[in-house]
Amino acid sequence: MNWQMAAILAGLAAVLLVALAALWQFVTSAEQRRLIAARSALDQAEYAASTPMARLERALHRTQWGARLSRRIARSGTDLRVSTFVVALVGGSLLAVVVVWQVLAPFFGLLAAAGVAFLFFSYLNRAEGKRREEFTGQLPDLARVLGNATSAGLALPTAVAIAADELDGPAGEELRRMTESMKLGASFEEAVAELRERMPSRELGVLLSTLLVASRSGGSLVTALRNISTTLENRKETRREVQTILSETTSTVWALGFMSAGALFLINAIEPGILRTMTTSAAGIGVLLVVAALFVTGFTLVSRITKFDL
């Protein structure tokens, strides 16, 4: 019996040594490929394009969903690749399923995966909204800079390039994209349409419409831009006041959501296995589904009520 156990342990040790040798060989070869690729910019670019994450990035960009997600990430201003976002989303969902499945019940594991996906896209929505609000807050300064540049006799593309250099944050970045697009051959109207697609807002629409009308038919652009600057400044203050009033409500909704999830773990800690027992019956699952539906409905209603468009 002892020699059989020793043989099994020896076999396991041999398998472990072979696995470690294979892992070491893989790491060594990868390091050698990296050093070879670093000898020239072309080889380095080819090596970077051949990595699994790069191949996944290209595959995602070929799909309609991946292209739309890429545009959303670009609008959010986060320094994140689509492949990284998808891998983190899938990994977080699987981890939530495994942990919650074991701690609570399989039913809650599936809900946890959906919750992780909801949190990821909620973060993306929040980042998009925050960057859009920052951009909208810079529109009065943008209108002022464009008005000063055009009053000095500069053309609109030149005025946009000057505004891109003078403004920081999202406005400067978006205007630089607009300038680069015009340098590559796009017309002013096409560059304006791309900017409006990246940063959809009513204030930007008014400003860009004024610029388009002026570029086509002329007119007193300086006076119009100065009037728009004053109007946008007033709207900026109004939006800030409304956001301050509604921030307490939105924070309360998110706090209730996290408290509800924490209450499940608290109930399971007080009475271990009660939730697993509850999900074994059709009545228990029905009650949980009704509660989840009511919570989602309330969250959606509050989100729509607190959403405003000045």
Side-chain angles (χ1 to χ4, degrees):
M1 191 68 178
N2 291 332
W3 67 269
Q4 291 179 349
M5 183 63 68
I8 292 174
L9 293 176
L12 292 176
V15 171
L16 181 61
L17 288 176
V18 171
L20 290 176
L23 179 62
W24 175 258
Q25 185 67 27
F26 174 78
V27 173
T28 304
S29 60
E31 182 66 18
Q32 290 176 351
R33 289 196 303 270
R34 187 189 66 81
L35 292 176
I36 294 173
R39 295 177 181 176
S40 67
L42 180 60
D43 292 338
Q44 190 172 6
E46 292 179 351
Y47 175 75
S50 64
T51 59
M53 292 297 288
R55 291 195 291 267
L56 177 61
E57 184 81 13
R58 291 194 298 270
L60 289 172
H61 275 284
R62 294 191 190 102
T63 63
Q64 185 177 0
W65 180 82
R68 186 166 59 250
L69 180 61
S70 177
R71 289 192 296 269
R72 292 191 60 186
I73 293 176
R75 286 199 300 264
S76 67
T78 56
D79 188 12
L80 195 65
R81 301 174 65 181
V82 179
S83 57
T84 306
F85 182 87
V86 172
V87 169
L89 173 61
V90 174
S93 299
L94 292 177
L95 180 62
V97 168
V98 172
V99 173
V100 180
W101 187 302
Q102 295 296 325
V103 175
L104 298 181
F107 176 80
F108 293 101
L110 300 177
L111 291 181
V116 169
F118 173 75
L119 290 177
F120 266 76
F121 284 101
S122 295
Y123 167 77
L124 189 59
N125 289 333
R126 188 175 181 83
E128 283 185 88
K130 183 179 179 181
R131 191 166 186 267
R132 188 164 52 247
E133 289 295 330
E134 292 177 353
F135 182 85
T136 303
Q138 290 181 289
L139 287 181
D141 296 330
L142 172 59
R144 194 175 301 113
V145 172
L146 292 177
N148 294 335
T150 52
S151 65
L154 300 177
L156 274 176
T158 306
V160 171
I162 293 175
D165 294 333
E166 293 190 4
L167 296 176
D168 298 326
E173 296 172 1
E174 293 297 332
L175 291 176
R176 275 189 287 273
R177 289 185 182 180
M178 185 176 174
T179 303
E180 292 296 328
S181 179
M182 288 187 290
K183 288 181 180 179
L184 293 175
S187 64
F188 184 76
E189 289 80 3
E190 293 173 346
V192 165
E194 293 175 358
L195 177 59
R196 183 176 293 182
E197 181 181 359
R198 291 193 303 267
M199 287 291 171
S201 70
R202 183 178 299 179
E203 292 87 348
L204 179 61
V206 173
L207 178 59
L208 294 181
S209 299
T210 303
L211 295 179
L212 285 176
V213 170
S215 65
R216 293 171 181 172
S217 59
S220 181
L221 179 60
V222 177
T223 304
L225 287 175
R226 288 176 180 173
N227 293 334
I228 289 176
S229 176
T230 304
T231 303
L232 291 177
E233 192 69 41
N234 295 332
R235 289 174 63 87
K236 175 182 175 181
E237 295 299 326
T238 305
R239 292 174 66 91
R240 185 180 302 170
E241 293 176 2
V242 174
Q243 286 178 343
T244 302
I245 295 172
L246 297 178
S247 60
E248 183 178 355
T249 303
T250 55
S251 300
T252 303
V253 172
W254 281 100
L256 288 175
F258 286 109
M259 289 173 61
S260 300
L264 295 176
F265 290 92
L266 181 61
I267 293 172
N268 191 73
I270 295 174
E271 189 68 29
I274 185 64
L275 295 177
R276 189 178 296 271
T277 303
M278 188 176 182
T279 55
T280 57
S281 64
I285 295 177
V287 170
L288 292 174
L289 289 176
V290 169
V291 172
L294 290 175
F295 178 79
V296 171
T297 302
F299 186 87
T300 304
L301 290 176
V302 173
S303 299
R304 290 188 176 275
I305 291 172
T306 55
K307 185 179 180 180
F308 66 96
D309 188 13
L310 293 176

